Amino acid sequence: MRIISLNAWGGKLHQPLIDYLGTIEADVLCLQEVTRSVTVKSDWLEYRDGSHILPQRANLLEEIKAVLPEHDVFFAPTAKGELFDGGSSVPSEFGLATFVRRSVAVIGHAMDFVHGDFFADSYGPHPRARNAHAIRLFDYKASHPVTIAQLHGLRDLAGKGDTPARRGQADALVSLIRHIWRKGERLVVCGDFNVLPGSVMFDALGGLGLTDLVTSRGFTDTRTSHYAKDGRFADYMLVTPDVAVARFDVVAEPEVSDHRPLLLEIG
C-alpha cells in the first residue's frame, strides 16, 4: 500500500501538483490545504490576510478528483472563508481531503476538530480552527486492517513552539485516533503538524506506540525552495512497530508545493 501525505498549498503550483498526483499511484492520499469554491467559475482566486497574499485554485478538490477517477474522497473543511476574484469577494471552503483507492475497503472513519470549531462565514481568528481525519481500511492484498490519520496542525503567528492550544490539539488528536483505531492493529499518522521535533505532539503520539519516520531516518527538511523561512520541519509520518515499512521518502523532486510530499510504502 502506498500512502502519500502532502500540504497542497491551495494548488499554487497547480500543474506540477496535478501531474504528480495523477501519476504517483497512491492508494491513500492525505492532503492538507485543499480548496473548494462551488459558486465561482474562475480557475484562480486570491487569499488575502493583511500583507499575506496567495493565489489559490478555486476548485482544487474537483481538479484532483478528475485525475484520480479510481479513488473515493472524503473532504473535511475547517471553514468557509473569503477569497477574492479580482475586486469581488467569494466564499470558499478550506480543509483536509483523503483519497482512497476503491480496491481498498473503508471499514470505519472519524473526523472532528482538534482545535476550535467550524466557521461558516470566515476563516476565524488566529490560531485558526483545525480538524483531523482518521480512516480505518482493510488492505485486501496484505489481508489486514490499517488505520491512517491525518492532521493539519494549527498555525500560531508566534511560531511553532508548544503552547496550551497545541497541547490540547495533541490530546484531541489522540482521542480521535482511539475512537477509530483498534489497539494491536497497524496505525499511520501523518500531515503538516506545524510543530518542530521535540514537540509535545510526539509525546502524545508516542503513547500510542508511534515513531516518526522523518526525524528517525535522518531527514532534516520537509520544505521546498518555495519556503524561504527558517525552521525546515513541518510534515511528519509516524507508524507503529507492526507497520512493515518497505519504503519511505521525503520527496525533494518534483516541487509541487512549499511542502515536500511524504511517501510511505507498507507491506
Side-chain angles (χ1 to χ4, degrees):
M1 178 182 287
R2 177 175 290 181
I3 304 164
I4 304 284
S5 176
L6 173 65
N7 182 318
W9 207 18
K12 182 180 179 182
L13 301 183
H14 173 251
Q15 199 56 55
L17 174 67
I18 294 298
D19 291 345
Y20 178 75
L21 297 182
T23 57
I24 196 57
E25 295 292 332
D27 297 298
V28 182
L29 177 61
C30 299
L31 295 177
Q32 305 90 49
E33 293 197 20
V34 176
T35 54
R36 180 171 69 174
S37 315
V38 298
T39 63
V40 301
K41 295 182 179 179
S42 299
D43 291 334
W44 288 99
L45 300 173
E46 194 171 69
Y47 171 79
R48 302 172 187 171
D49 184 14
S51 62
H52 185 204
I53 299 174
L54 184 68
Q56 301 275 275
R57 291 298 289 185
N59 280 296
L60 182 60
L61 181 70
E62 297 302 319
E63 292 174 320
I64 298 171
K65 285 169 63 177
V67 297
L68 296 176
E70 297 179 355
H71 292 66
D72 290 320
V73 61
F74 300 83
F75 181 55
T78 58
K80 186 162 101 172
E82 182 181 54
L83 296 181
F84 290 88
D85 188 0
S88 301
S89 169
V90 296
S92 180
E93 292 174 326
F94 171 93
L96 305 175
T98 307
F99 288 80
V100 180
R101 191 182 298 277
R102 292 186 186 132
S103 58
V104 179
V106 177
I107 57 175
H109 75 109
M111 186 279 291
D112 204 351
F113 281 78
V114 294
H115 173 75
D117 208 344
F118 184 75
F119 278 79
D121 55 5
S122 75
Y123 294 117
H126 293 287
R128 287 172 171 161
R130 288 292 192 258
N131 59 4
H133 183 217
I135 189 163
R136 186 168 176 251
L137 309 172
F138 194 88
D139 183 351
Y140 289 118
K141 289 183 180 179
S143 193
H144 60 64
V146 57
T147 295
I148 301 169
Q150 70 149 319
L151 165 78
H152 184 199
L154 70 89
R155 175 175 175 261
D156 192 315
L157 298 180
K160 293 183 178 178
D162 284 334
T163 62
R166 283 198 169 109
R167 291 185 180 93
Q169 172 183 252
D171 291 341
L173 175 61
V174 168
S175 178
L176 177 69
I177 292 169
R178 287 189 184 278
H179 181 70
I180 195 71
W181 172 61
R182 307 294 196 269
K183 189 173 182 180
E185 293 182 355
R186 293 156 179 81
L187 175 63
V188 178
V189 180
C190 59
D192 172 10
F193 289 6
N194 262 325
V195 299
L196 298 175
S199 167
V200 67
M201 174 69 77
F202 300 101
D203 292 334
L205 294 176
L208 299 177
L210 289 156
T211 300
D212 174 49
L213 296 176
V214 174
T215 54
S216 67
R217 297 195 172 210
F219 293 97
T220 59
D221 195 341
T222 67
R223 294 290 203 161
T224 70
S225 64
H226 296 272
Y227 186 81
K229 301 177 185 178
D230 294 329
R232 307 291 298 181
F233 284 103
D235 309 270
Y236 301 91
M237 179 92 70
L238 297 89
V239 297
T240 48
D242 50 1
V243 173
V245 178
R247 177 189 175 193
F248 176 73
D249 194 15
V250 179
V251 180
E253 296 289 343
E255 293 192 346
V256 298
S257 167
D258 61 341
H259 295 253
R260 297 182 184 184
L262 306 184
L263 185 154
L264 172 65
E265 292 181 357
I266 62 175

